[in-house]
Amino acid sequence: MTAPKQPIIKLEHVFAGYEEKVALQDVSLEVFDHDFLGVIGPNGGGKTTLMRVILGMMKPFSGKVPYFREGRQVPEITIGYLPQYNDIDRQFPIAVEEVVLSGLSRQKKLFAPFDASHKQQVAQTLEKLGMEDFAKRPIGSLSGGQLQRVLLARAIVSQPKVLILDEPFNFLDPSSQIQVSRFIKRINEELGTLVLL
């Protein structure tokens, strides 16, 4: 007999929003290991607020958001985040490997350089997403689908327990959407929990 699945994130009667405007009202939710959770709703419906609360970027007006590891409450868990495609400045002069390295910033001291093990993690992650030949390329030279894979690599390079994807298919052509959806499915199987907004 298998043990029941344990939640890794809970939202308990969460109210959240901006100044006087409530965007989330009495939201309770459990997220389990290897879930594939889709959140749908209109623009302005609270999806971004929910994402910010789960990421710990926004403190709720009231309610709790505890995290768990192996059934025990912990102060935090590793969460990866793929922002909306249109939030990225493609003219910024940065190479693919530097973008992915930025996903490991919390694994080193503030002003310390990235070491060889960090760079190895980046190389392995780019290879997993079929982007190893693009490591030295500037992000401005990439197609939409290629850039989305780079951003996925940045989101998963730290091997997070949860990956939050914010409208990952917007602005992608049908071929790139299919390609990115395959990678997302594989990440869910290999890595852990996906929350798709």
Side-chain angles (χ1 to χ4, degrees):
M1 183 172 164
T2 58
K5 287 177 71 175
Q6 299 283 348
I8 56 176
I9 302 173
K10 286 185 180 181
L11 275 72
E12 300 175 352
H13 303 289
V14 167
F15 288 76
Y18 308 86
E19 296 179 357
E20 300 302 316
K21 182 182 178 185
V22 176
L24 298 178
Q25 185 170 355
D26 198 19
V27 173
S28 293
L29 173 70
E30 290 187 341
V31 181
F32 293 86
D33 193 24
H34 284 84
D35 267 358
F36 195 135
L37 177 66
V39 180
I40 59 173
N43 287 339
K47 297 190 300 294
T48 299
T49 305
L50 177 66
M51 171 200 73
R52 288 175 175 271
V53 167
I54 291 174
L55 285 168
M57 297 167 59
M58 175 183 284
K59 186 175 175 60
F61 297 148
S62 63
K64 296 179 181 178
V65 188
Y67 305 106
F68 299 87
R69 186 179 297 118
E70 296 176 357
R72 300 179 65 178
Q73 189 170 337
V74 293
E76 63 179 10
I77 58 174
T78 309
I79 302 176
Y81 170 54
L82 177 71
Q84 287 192 38
Y85 179 81
N86 60 344
D87 288 344
I88 305 305
D89 180 4
R90 298 193 58 160
Q91 303 308 311
F92 191 75
I94 188 170
V96 164
E97 64 183 357
E98 294 173 288
V99 171
V100 182
L101 269 172
S102 70
L104 295 172
S105 295
R106 296 186 67 180
Q107 294 189 6
K108 68 178 184 67
K109 292 182 179 177
L110 185 56
F111 296 109
F114 290 105
D115 62 26
S117 67
H118 294 131
K119 292 174 182 177
Q120 181 65 23
Q121 279 178 261
V122 167
Q124 290 172 346
T125 305
L126 286 172
E127 184 177 3
K128 183 179 293 187
L129 293 176
M131 292 297 293
E132 65 272 23
D133 294 337
F134 294 80
K136 303 295 183 184
R137 294 256 197 106
I139 60 169
S141 69
L142 304 180
S143 70
Q146 290 166 345
L147 178 58
Q148 199 71 321
R149 280 190 276 163
V150 170
L151 297 176
L152 261 179
R154 180 182 69 177
I156 67 171
V157 68
S158 63
Q159 298 183 318
K161 289 294 294 177
V162 179
L163 178 61
I164 297 178
L165 310 174
D166 193 357
E167 301 189 11
F169 305 114
N170 277 6
F171 307 101
L172 296 183
D173 60 69
S175 173
S176 295
Q177 288 181 17
I178 291 169
Q179 195 172 43
V180 169
S181 68
R182 285 180 184 147
F183 286 117
I184 288 172
K185 183 176 185 296
R186 198 167 85 197
I187 289 165
N188 181 222
E189 291 169 352
E190 295 177 1
L191 190 65
T193 302
L194 284 182
V195 179
L196 185 63
L197 302 174

PDB file of all heavy atoms in Angstrom, residues 36-74:
ATOM      1  N   PHE A  36       0.687  18.757 -12.149  1.00  0.00           N
ATOM      2  CA  PHE A  36       0.684  19.656 -13.307  1.00  0.00           C
ATOM      3  C   PHE A  36      -0.585  20.477 -13.160  1.00  0.00           C
ATOM      4  O   PHE A  36      -1.664  20.036 -13.509  1.00  0.00           O
ATOM      5  CB  PHE A  36       0.693  18.875 -14.629  1.00  0.00           C
ATOM      6  CG  PHE A  36       1.053  19.724 -15.822  1.00  0.00           C
ATOM      7  CD1 PHE A  36       1.956  19.261 -16.764  1.00  0.00           C
ATOM      8  CD2 PHE A  36       0.495  20.977 -16.024  1.00  0.00           C
ATOM      9  CE1 PHE A  36       2.295  20.022 -17.883  1.00  0.00           C
ATOM     10  CE2 PHE A  36       0.826  21.752 -17.119  1.00  0.00           C
ATOM     11  CZ  PHE A  36       1.733  21.272 -18.046  1.00  0.00           C
ATOM     12  N   LEU A  37      -0.426  21.664 -12.589  1.00  0.00           N
ATOM     13  CA  LEU A  37      -1.561  22.488 -12.205  1.00  0.00           C
ATOM     14  C   LEU A  37      -1.717  23.647 -13.181  1.00  0.00           C
ATOM     15  O   LEU A  37      -0.790  24.433 -13.367  1.00  0.00           O
ATOM     16  CB  LEU A  37      -1.344  23.026 -10.784  1.00  0.00           C
ATOM     17  CG  LEU A  37      -2.393  23.972 -10.214  1.00  0.00           C
ATOM     18  CD1 LEU A  37      -3.719  23.245 -10.030  1.00  0.00           C
ATOM     19  CD2 LEU A  37      -1.903  24.540  -8.888  1.00  0.00           C
ATOM     20  N   GLY A  38      -2.876  23.739 -13.823  1.00  0.00           N
ATOM     21  CA  GLY A  38      -3.170  24.847 -14.723  1.00  0.00           C
ATOM     22  C   GLY A  38      -4.128  25.813 -14.058  1.00  0.00           C
ATOM     23  O   GLY A  38      -5.132  25.402 -13.483  1.00  0.00           O
ATOM     24  N   VAL A  39      -3.784  27.109 -14.108  1.00  0.00           N
ATOM     25  CA  VAL A  39      -4.641  28.156 -13.539  1.00  0.00           C
ATOM     26  C   VAL A  39      -5.157  29.005 -14.690  1.00  0.00           C
ATOM     27  O   VAL A  39      -4.369  29.611 -15.420  1.00  0.00           O
ATOM     28  CB  VAL A  39      -3.866  29.030 -12.532  1.00  0.00           C
ATOM     29  CG1 VAL A  39      -4.781  30.106 -11.944  1.00  0.00           C
ATOM     30  CG2 VAL A  39      -3.269  28.171 -11.424  1.00  0.00           C
ATOM     31  N   ILE A  40      -6.465  29.020 -14.876  1.00  0.00           N
ATOM     32  CA  ILE A  40      -7.046  29.768 -15.985  1.00  0.00           C
ATOM     33  C   ILE A  40      -7.936  30.878 -15.449  1.00  0.00           C
ATOM     34  O   ILE A  40      -8.452  30.800 -14.336  1.00  0.00           O
ATOM     35  CB  ILE A  40      -7.836  28.851 -16.944  1.00  0.00           C
ATOM     36  CG1 ILE A  40      -8.979  28.137 -16.187  1.00  0.00           C
ATOM     37  CG2 ILE A  40      -6.931  27.833 -17.610  1.00  0.00           C
ATOM     38  CD1 ILE A  40      -9.891  27.346 -17.091  1.00  0.00           C
ATOM     39  N   GLY A  41      -8.088  31.905 -16.268  1.00  0.00           N
ATOM     40  CA  GLY A  41      -8.942  33.019 -15.879  1.00  0.00           C
ATOM     41  C   GLY A  41      -8.644  34.222 -16.753  1.00  0.00           C
ATOM     42  O   GLY A  41      -7.639  34.256 -17.461  1.00  0.00           O
ATOM     43  N   PRO A  42      -9.508  35.230 -16.711  1.00  0.00           N
ATOM     44  CA  PRO A  42      -9.327  36.411 -17.555  1.00  0.00           C
ATOM     45  C   PRO A  42      -8.187  37.284 -17.056  1.00  0.00           C
ATOM     46  O   PRO A  42      -7.729  37.142 -15.919  1.00  0.00           O
ATOM     47  CB  PRO A  42     -10.671  37.144 -17.418  1.00  0.00           C
ATOM     48  CG  PRO A  42     -11.139  36.757 -16.038  1.00  0.00           C
ATOM     49  CD  PRO A  42     -10.690  35.338 -15.849  1.00  0.00           C
ATOM     50  N   ASN A  43      -7.722  38.196 -17.905  1.00  0.00           N
ATOM     51  CA  ASN A  43      -6.753  39.191 -17.466  1.00  0.00           C
ATOM     52  C   ASN A  43      -7.349  39.981 -16.302  1.00  0.00           C
ATOM     53  O   ASN A  43      -8.521  40.358 -16.337  1.00  0.00           O
ATOM     54  CB  ASN A  43      -6.409  40.159 -18.610  1.00  0.00           C
ATOM     55  CG  ASN A  43      -5.542  39.502 -19.660  1.00  0.00           C
ATOM     56  OD1 ASN A  43      -4.881  38.504 -19.393  1.00  0.00           O
ATOM     57  ND2 ASN A  43      -5.526  40.050 -20.849  1.00  0.00           N
ATOM     58  N   GLY A  44      -6.549  40.202 -15.283  1.00  0.00           N
ATOM     59  CA  GLY A  44      -7.050  40.894 -14.105  1.00  0.00           C
ATOM     60  C   GLY A  44      -7.780  39.985 -13.136  1.00  0.00           C
ATOM     61  O   GLY A  44      -8.353  40.449 -12.151  1.00  0.00           O
ATOM     62  N   GLY A  45      -7.747  38.674 -13.413  1.00  0.00           N
ATOM     63  CA  GLY A  45      -8.474  37.729 -12.570  1.00  0.00           C
ATOM     64  C   GLY A  45      -7.704  37.235 -11.361  1.00  0.00           C
ATOM     65  O   GLY A  45      -8.221  36.424 -10.592  1.00  0.00           O
ATOM     66  N   GLY A  46      -6.452  37.660 -11.190  1.00  0.00           N
ATOM     67  CA  GLY A  46      -5.688  37.297 -10.001  1.00  0.00           C
ATOM     68  C   GLY A  46      -4.595  36.271 -10.223  1.00  0.00           C
ATOM     69  O   GLY A  46      -3.937  35.860  -9.268  1.00  0.00           O
ATOM     70  N   LYS A  47      -4.356  35.855 -11.495  1.00  0.00           N
ATOM     71  CA  LYS A  47      -3.337  34.826 -11.743  1.00  0.00           C
ATOM     72  C   LYS A  47      -1.940  35.317 -11.358  1.00  0.00           C
ATOM     73  O   LYS A  47      -1.170  34.586 -10.725  1.00  0.00           O
ATOM     74  CB  LYS A  47      -3.358  34.402 -13.214  1.00  0.00           C
ATOM     75  CG  LYS A  47      -4.651  33.758 -13.677  1.00  0.00           C
ATOM     76  CD  LYS A  47      -4.532  33.137 -15.048  1.00  0.00           C
ATOM     77  CE  LYS A  47      -4.156  34.118 -16.150  1.00  0.00           C
ATOM     78  NZ  LYS A  47      -5.215  35.123 -16.410  1.00  0.00           N
ATOM     79  N   THR A  48      -1.607  36.546 -11.743  1.00  0.00           N
ATOM     80  CA  THR A  48      -0.284  37.084 -11.417  1.00  0.00           C
ATOM     81  C   THR A  48      -0.121  37.251  -9.918  1.00  0.00           C
ATOM     82  O   THR A  48       0.947  36.971  -9.353  1.00  0.00           O
ATOM     83  CB  THR A  48      -0.052  38.426 -12.137  1.00  0.00           C
ATOM     84  OG1 THR A  48      -0.105  38.203 -13.549  1.00  0.00           O
ATOM     85  CG2 THR A  48       1.306  39.011 -11.782  1.00  0.00           C
ATOM     86  N   THR A  49      -1.175  37.685  -9.240  1.00  0.00           N
ATOM     87  CA  THR A  49      -1.121  37.818  -7.783  1.00  0.00           C
ATOM     88  C   THR A  49      -0.892  36.455  -7.141  1.00  0.00           C
ATOM     89  O   THR A  49      -0.075  36.320  -6.214  1.00  0.00           O
ATOM     90  CB  THR A  49      -2.418  38.440  -7.255  1.00  0.00           C
ATOM     91  OG1 THR A  49      -2.653  39.686  -7.930  1.00  0.00           O
ATOM     92  CG2 THR A  49      -2.338  38.685  -5.760  1.00  0.00           C
ATOM     93  N   LEU A  50      -1.586  35.433  -7.626  1.00  0.00           N
ATOM     94  CA  LEU A  50      -1.392  34.074  -7.109  1.00  0.00           C
ATOM     95  C   LEU A  50       0.055  33.637  -7.276  1.00  0.00           C
ATOM     96  O   LEU A  50       0.671  33.087  -6.354  1.00  0.00           O
ATOM     97  CB  LEU A  50      -2.323  33.100  -7.835  1.00  0.00           C
ATOM     98  CG  LEU A  50      -2.186  31.622  -7.461  1.00  0.00           C
ATOM     99  CD1 LEU A  50      -2.602  31.385  -6.017  1.00  0.00           C
ATOM    100  CD2 LEU A  50      -3.025  30.757  -8.403  1.00  0.00           C
ATOM    101  N   MET A  51       0.623  33.895  -8.467  1.00  0.00           N
ATOM    102  CA  MET A  51       2.014  33.535  -8.733  1.00  0.00           C
ATOM    103  C   MET A  51       2.945  34.241  -7.756  1.00  0.00           C
ATOM    104  O   MET A  51       3.847  33.631  -7.166  1.00  0.00           O
ATOM    105  CB  MET A  51       2.377  33.922 -10.162  1.00  0.00           C
ATOM    106  CG  MET A  51       3.844  33.791 -10.494  1.00  0.00           C
ATOM    107  SD  MET A  51       4.282  34.787 -11.936  1.00  0.00           S
ATOM    108  CE  MET A  51       4.221  36.446 -11.263  1.00  0.00           C
ATOM    109  N   ARG A  52       2.727  35.533  -7.524  1.00  0.00           N
ATOM    110  CA  ARG A  52       3.593  36.307  -6.626  1.00  0.00           C
ATOM    111  C   ARG A  52       3.499  35.802  -5.187  1.00  0.00           C
ATOM    112  O   ARG A  52       4.502  35.754  -4.474  1.00  0.00           O
ATOM    113  CB  ARG A  52       3.221  37.785  -6.685  1.00  0.00           C
ATOM    114  CG  ARG A  52       3.618  38.459  -7.985  1.00  0.00           C
ATOM    115  CD  ARG A  52       3.106  39.898  -8.035  1.00  0.00           C
ATOM    116  NE  ARG A  52       3.574  40.575  -9.226  1.00  0.00           N
ATOM    117  CZ  ARG A  52       4.718  41.255  -9.311  1.00  0.00           C
ATOM    118  NH1 ARG A  52       5.491  41.337  -8.251  1.00  0.00           N
ATOM    119  NH2 ARG A  52       5.079  41.836 -10.436  1.00  0.00           N
ATOM    120  N   VAL A  53       2.312  35.395  -4.782  1.00  0.00           N
ATOM    121  CA  VAL A  53       2.133  34.862  -3.432  1.00  0.00           C
ATOM    122  C   VAL A  53       2.862  33.529  -3.288  1.00  0.00           C
ATOM    123  O   VAL A  53       3.574  33.291  -2.300  1.00  0.00           O
ATOM    124  CB  VAL A  53       0.630  34.716  -3.098  1.00  0.00           C
ATOM    125  CG1 VAL A  53       0.422  33.877  -1.842  1.00  0.00           C
ATOM    126  CG2 VAL A  53      -0.015  36.091  -2.928  1.00  0.00           C
ATOM    127  N   ILE A  54       2.721  32.634  -4.278  1.00  0.00           N
ATOM    128  CA  ILE A  54       3.398  31.333  -4.218  1.00  0.00           C
ATOM    129  C   ILE A  54       4.911  31.514  -4.207  1.00  0.00           C
ATOM    130  O   ILE A  54       5.635  30.836  -3.473  1.00  0.00           O
ATOM    131  CB  ILE A  54       2.967  30.442  -5.402  1.00  0.00           C
ATOM    132  CG1 ILE A  54       1.497  30.019  -5.244  1.00  0.00           C
ATOM    133  CG2 ILE A  54       3.858  29.192  -5.492  1.00  0.00           C
ATOM    134  CD1 ILE A  54       0.945  29.265  -6.429  1.00  0.00           C
ATOM    135  N   LEU A  55       5.421  32.461  -5.018  1.00  0.00           N
ATOM    136  CA  LEU A  55       6.862  32.705  -5.097  1.00  0.00           C
ATOM    137  C   LEU A  55       7.412  33.398  -3.850  1.00  0.00           C
ATOM    138  O   LEU A  55       8.629  33.484  -3.670  1.00  0.00           O
ATOM    139  CB  LEU A  55       7.186  33.568  -6.323  1.00  0.00           C
ATOM    140  CG  LEU A  55       7.129  32.884  -7.682  1.00  0.00           C
ATOM    141  CD1 LEU A  55       7.191  33.903  -8.799  1.00  0.00           C
ATOM    142  CD2 LEU A  55       8.267  31.875  -7.832  1.00  0.00           C
ATOM    143  N   GLY A  56       6.529  33.917  -3.006  1.00  0.00           N
ATOM    144  CA  GLY A  56       6.981  34.655  -1.848  1.00  0.00           C
ATOM    145  C   GLY A  56       7.339  36.091  -2.154  1.00  0.00           C
ATOM    146  O   GLY A  56       7.942  36.792  -1.328  1.00  0.00           O
ATOM    147  N   MET A  57       6.977  36.565  -3.359  1.00  0.00           N
ATOM    148  CA  MET A  57       7.251  37.947  -3.749  1.00  0.00           C
ATOM    149  C   MET A  57       6.222  38.916  -3.178  1.00  0.00           C
ATOM    150  O   MET A  57       6.438  40.130  -3.183  1.00  0.00           O
ATOM    151  CB  MET A  57       7.260  38.066  -5.280  1.00  0.00           C
ATOM    152  CG  MET A  57       8.339  37.268  -5.960  1.00  0.00           C
ATOM    153  SD  MET A  57       8.071  37.133  -7.751  1.00  0.00           S
ATOM    154  CE  MET A  57       8.063  38.843  -8.253  1.00  0.00           C
ATOM    155  N   MET A  58       5.093  38.399  -2.712  1.00  0.00           N
ATOM    156  CA  MET A  58       4.022  39.232  -2.177  1.00  0.00           C
ATOM    157  C   MET A  58       3.498  38.606  -0.895  1.00  0.00           C
ATOM    158  O   MET A  58       3.223  37.407  -0.861  1.00  0.00           O
ATOM    159  CB  MET A  58       2.893  39.357  -3.201  1.00  0.00           C
ATOM    160  CG  MET A  58       1.681  40.114  -2.702  1.00  0.00           C
ATOM    161  SD  MET A  58       0.349  40.170  -3.920  1.00  0.00           S
ATOM    162  CE  MET A  58       0.982  41.390  -5.037  1.00  0.00           C
ATOM    163  N   LYS A  59       3.389  39.425   0.129  1.00  0.00           N
ATOM    164  CA  LYS A  59       2.848  38.954   1.408  1.00  0.00           C
ATOM    165  C   LYS A  59       1.329  39.121   1.374  1.00  0.00           C
ATOM    166  O   LYS A  59       0.825  40.198   1.062  1.00  0.00           O
ATOM    167  CB  LYS A  59       3.455  39.760   2.543  1.00  0.00           C
ATOM    168  CG  LYS A  59       3.077  39.262   3.928  1.00  0.00           C
ATOM    169  CD  LYS A  59       3.827  40.040   4.990  1.00  0.00           C
ATOM    170  CE  LYS A  59       3.376  39.656   6.386  1.00  0.00           C
ATOM    171  NZ  LYS A  59       3.592  38.236   6.681  1.00  0.00           N
ATOM    172  N   PRO A  60       0.580  38.074   1.674  1.00  0.00           N
ATOM    173  CA  PRO A  60      -0.883  38.198   1.680  1.00  0.00           C
ATOM    174  C   PRO A  60      -1.364  39.178   2.745  1.00  0.00           C
ATOM    175  O   PRO A  60      -0.700  39.382   3.762  1.00  0.00           O
ATOM    176  CB  PRO A  60      -1.368  36.776   1.989  1.00  0.00           C
ATOM    177  CG  PRO A  60      -0.194  35.887   1.857  1.00  0.00           C
ATOM    178  CD  PRO A  60       1.018  36.720   2.044  1.00  0.00           C
ATOM    179  N   PHE A  61      -2.548  39.772   2.519  1.00  0.00           N
ATOM    180  CA  PHE A  61      -3.196  40.567   3.565  1.00  0.00           C
ATOM    181  C   PHE A  61      -3.476  39.680   4.776  1.00  0.00           C
ATOM    182  O   PHE A  61      -3.299  40.089   5.918  1.00  0.00           O
ATOM    183  CB  PHE A  61      -4.524  41.155   3.062  1.00  0.00           C
ATOM    184  CG  PHE A  61      -4.382  42.124   1.920  1.00  0.00           C
ATOM    185  CD1 PHE A  61      -5.382  42.233   0.966  1.00  0.00           C
ATOM    186  CD2 PHE A  61      -3.259  42.931   1.779  1.00  0.00           C
ATOM    187  CE1 PHE A  61      -5.277  43.131  -0.088  1.00  0.00           C
ATOM    188  CE2 PHE A  61      -3.131  43.826   0.730  1.00  0.00           C
ATOM    189  CZ  PHE A  61      -4.148  43.924  -0.211  1.00  0.00           C
ATOM    190  N   SER A  62      -3.937  38.468   4.494  1.00  0.00           N
ATOM    191  CA  SER A  62      -4.194  37.498   5.555  1.00  0.00           C
ATOM    192  C   SER A  62      -4.128  36.100   4.959  1.00  0.00           C
ATOM    193  O   SER A  62      -4.129  35.925   3.740  1.00  0.00           O
ATOM    194  CB  SER A  62      -5.564  37.735   6.203  1.00  0.00           C
ATOM    195  OG  SER A  62      -6.608  37.561   5.261  1.00  0.00           O
ATOM    196  N   GLY A  63      -4.059  35.101   5.820  1.00  0.00           N
ATOM    197  CA  GLY A  63      -3.906  33.718   5.371  1.00  0.00           C
ATOM    198  C   GLY A  63      -2.453  33.286   5.442  1.00  0.00           C
ATOM    199  O   GLY A  63      -1.558  34.083   5.748  1.00  0.00           O
ATOM    200  N   LYS A  64      -2.218  32.018   5.154  1.00  0.00           N
ATOM    201  CA  LYS A  64      -0.874  31.448   5.260  1.00  0.00           C
ATOM    202  C   LYS A  64      -0.475  30.743   3.972  1.00  0.00           C
ATOM    203  O   LYS A  64      -1.329  30.223   3.245  1.00  0.00           O
ATOM    204  CB  LYS A  64      -0.819  30.437   6.414  1.00  0.00           C
ATOM    205  CG  LYS A  64      -1.068  31.035   7.789  1.00  0.00           C
ATOM    206  CD  LYS A  64      -1.009  29.935   8.841  1.00  0.00           C
ATOM    207  CE  LYS A  64      -1.289  30.494  10.230  1.00  0.00           C
ATOM    208  NZ  LYS A  64      -1.280  29.428  11.259  1.00  0.00           N
ATOM    209  N   VAL A  65       0.851  30.705   3.718  1.00  0.00           N
ATOM    210  CA  VAL A  65       1.393  29.978   2.569  1.00  0.00           C
ATOM    211  C   VAL A  65       2.592  29.154   3.057  1.00  0.00           C
ATOM    212  O   VAL A  65       3.745  29.511   2.817  1.00  0.00           O
ATOM    213  CB  VAL A  65       1.815  30.933   1.431  1.00  0.00           C
ATOM    214  CG1 VAL A  65       2.194  30.125   0.178  1.00  0.00           C
ATOM    215  CG2 VAL A  65       0.728  31.934   1.108  1.00  0.00           C
ATOM    216  N   PRO A  66       2.345  28.046   3.759  1.00  0.00           N
ATOM    217  CA  PRO A  66       3.456  27.209   4.220  1.00  0.00           C
ATOM    218  C   PRO A  66       3.995  26.309   3.101  1.00  0.00           C
ATOM    219  O   PRO A  66       3.266  25.918   2.188  1.00  0.00           O
ATOM    220  CB  PRO A  66       2.831  26.370   5.332  1.00  0.00           C
ATOM    221  CG  PRO A  66       1.376  26.304   4.983  1.00  0.00           C
ATOM    222  CD  PRO A  66       1.047  27.585   4.274  1.00  0.00           C
ATOM    223  N   TYR A  67       5.298  26.016   3.202  1.00  0.00           N
ATOM    224  CA  TYR A  67       5.978  25.101   2.276  1.00  0.00           C
ATOM    225  C   TYR A  67       6.360  23.832   3.040  1.00  0.00           C
ATOM    226  O   TYR A  67       6.601  23.880   4.251  1.00  0.00           O
ATOM    227  CB  TYR A  67       7.248  25.741   1.702  1.00  0.00           C
ATOM    228  CG  TYR A  67       7.032  27.073   1.027  1.00  0.00           C
ATOM    229  CD1 TYR A  67       7.428  28.256   1.639  1.00  0.00           C
ATOM    230  CD2 TYR A  67       6.444  27.143  -0.230  1.00  0.00           C
ATOM    231  CE1 TYR A  67       7.244  29.488   1.016  1.00  0.00           C
ATOM    232  CE2 TYR A  67       6.258  28.361  -0.867  1.00  0.00           C
ATOM    233  CZ  TYR A  67       6.655  29.526  -0.234  1.00  0.00           C
ATOM    234  OH  TYR A  67       6.471  30.742  -0.850  1.00  0.00           O
ATOM    235  N   PHE A  68       6.463  22.734   2.301  1.00  0.00           N
ATOM    236  CA  PHE A  68       6.745  21.449   2.939  1.00  0.00           C
ATOM    237  C   PHE A  68       7.803  20.670   2.159  1.00  0.00           C
ATOM    238  O   PHE A  68       7.898  20.771   0.928  1.00  0.00           O
ATOM    239  CB  PHE A  68       5.470  20.604   3.028  1.00  0.00           C
ATOM    240  CG  PHE A  68       4.381  21.232   3.849  1.00  0.00           C
ATOM    241  CD1 PHE A  68       3.482  22.114   3.281  1.00  0.00           C
ATOM    242  CD2 PHE A  68       4.271  20.944   5.202  1.00  0.00           C
ATOM    243  CE1 PHE A  68       2.482  22.711   4.030  1.00  0.00           C
ATOM    244  CE2 PHE A  68       3.279  21.529   5.970  1.00  0.00           C
ATOM    245  CZ  PHE A  68       2.379  22.416   5.388  1.00  0.00           C
ATOM    246  N   ARG A  69       8.585  19.895   2.897  1.00  0.00           N
ATOM    247  CA  ARG A  69       9.526  18.956   2.289  1.00  0.00           C
ATOM    248  C   ARG A  69       9.382  17.634   3.026  1.00  0.00           C
ATOM    249  O   ARG A  69       9.571  17.581   4.243  1.00  0.00           O
ATOM    250  CB  ARG A  69      10.958  19.481   2.380  1.00  0.00           C
ATOM    251  CG  ARG A  69      11.976  18.628   1.634  1.00  0.00           C
ATOM    252  CD  ARG A  69      13.389  19.195   1.713  1.00  0.00           C
ATOM    253  NE  ARG A  69      13.489  20.498   1.071  1.00  0.00           N
ATOM    254  CZ  ARG A  69      13.815  21.624   1.678  1.00  0.00           C
ATOM    255  NH1 ARG A  69      14.087  21.611   2.987  1.00  0.00           N
ATOM    256  NH2 ARG A  69      13.878  22.767   1.032  1.00  0.00           N
ATOM    257  N   GLU A  70       8.994  16.582   2.286  1.00  0.00           N
ATOM    258  CA  GLU A  70       8.799  15.246   2.852  1.00  0.00           C
ATOM    259  C   GLU A  70       7.851  15.290   4.051  1.00  0.00           C
ATOM    260  O   GLU A  70       8.087  14.668   5.087  1.00  0.00           O
ATOM    261  CB  GLU A  70      10.152  14.637   3.248  1.00  0.00           C
ATOM    262  CG  GLU A  70      11.057  14.408   2.038  1.00  0.00           C
ATOM    263  CD  GLU A  70      12.434  13.900   2.428  1.00  0.00           C
ATOM    264  OE1 GLU A  70      12.710  13.772   3.635  1.00  0.00           O
ATOM    265  OE2 GLU A  70      13.233  13.655   1.510  1.00  0.00           O
ATOM    266  N   GLY A  71       6.778  16.063   3.914  1.00  0.00           N
ATOM    267  CA  GLY A  71       5.749  16.113   4.929  1.00  0.00           C
ATOM    268  C   GLY A  71       6.014  17.046   6.095  1.00  0.00           C
ATOM    269  O   GLY A  71       5.152  17.234   6.949  1.00  0.00           O
ATOM    270  N   ARG A  72       7.203  17.657   6.122  1.00  0.00           N
ATOM    271  CA  ARG A  72       7.542  18.553   7.228  1.00  0.00           C
ATOM    272  C   ARG A  72       7.591  19.993   6.728  1.00  0.00           C
ATOM    273  O   ARG A  72       8.139  20.261   5.650  1.00  0.00           O
ATOM    274  CB  ARG A  72       8.897  18.174   7.837  1.00  0.00           C
ATOM    275  CG  ARG A  72       8.923  16.760   8.398  1.00  0.00           C
ATOM    276  CD  ARG A  72      10.275  16.414   8.968  1.00  0.00           C
ATOM    277  NE  ARG A  72      10.582  17.235  10.129  1.00  0.00           N
ATOM    278  CZ  ARG A  72      11.700  17.108  10.841  1.00  0.00           C
ATOM    279  NH1 ARG A  72      12.602  16.193  10.504  1.00  0.00           N
ATOM    280  NH2 ARG A  72      11.920  17.881  11.879  1.00  0.00           N
ATOM    281  N   GLN A  73       7.039  20.912   7.514  1.00  0.00           N
ATOM    282  CA  GLN A  73       7.039  22.314   7.111  1.00  0.00           C
ATOM    283  C   GLN A  73       8.458  22.869   7.156  1.00  0.00           C
ATOM    284  O   GLN A  73       9.215  22.604   8.092  1.00  0.00           O
ATOM    285  CB  GLN A  73       6.116  23.130   8.019  1.00  0.00           C
ATOM    286  CG  GLN A  73       5.906  24.550   7.513  1.00  0.00           C
ATOM    287  CD  GLN A  73       4.801  25.279   8.263  1.00  0.00           C
ATOM    288  OE1 GLN A  73       3.918  24.662   8.851  1.00  0.00           O
ATOM    289  NE2 GLN A  73       4.843  26.604   8.236  1.00  0.00           N
ATOM    290  N   VAL A  74       8.813  23.645   6.106  1.00  0.00           N
ATOM    291  CA  VAL A  74      10.145  24.248   5.995  1.00  0.00           C
ATOM    292  C   VAL A  74       9.978  25.730   5.663  1.00  0.00           C
ATOM    293  O   VAL A  74       8.924  26.154   5.176  1.00  0.00           O
ATOM    294  CB  VAL A  74      10.986  23.539   4.907  1.00  0.00           C
ATOM    295  CG1 VAL A  74      11.323  22.110   5.319  1.00  0.00           C
ATOM    296  CG2 VAL A  74      10.277  23.560   3.554  1.00  0.00           C
TER     297      VAL A  74
END
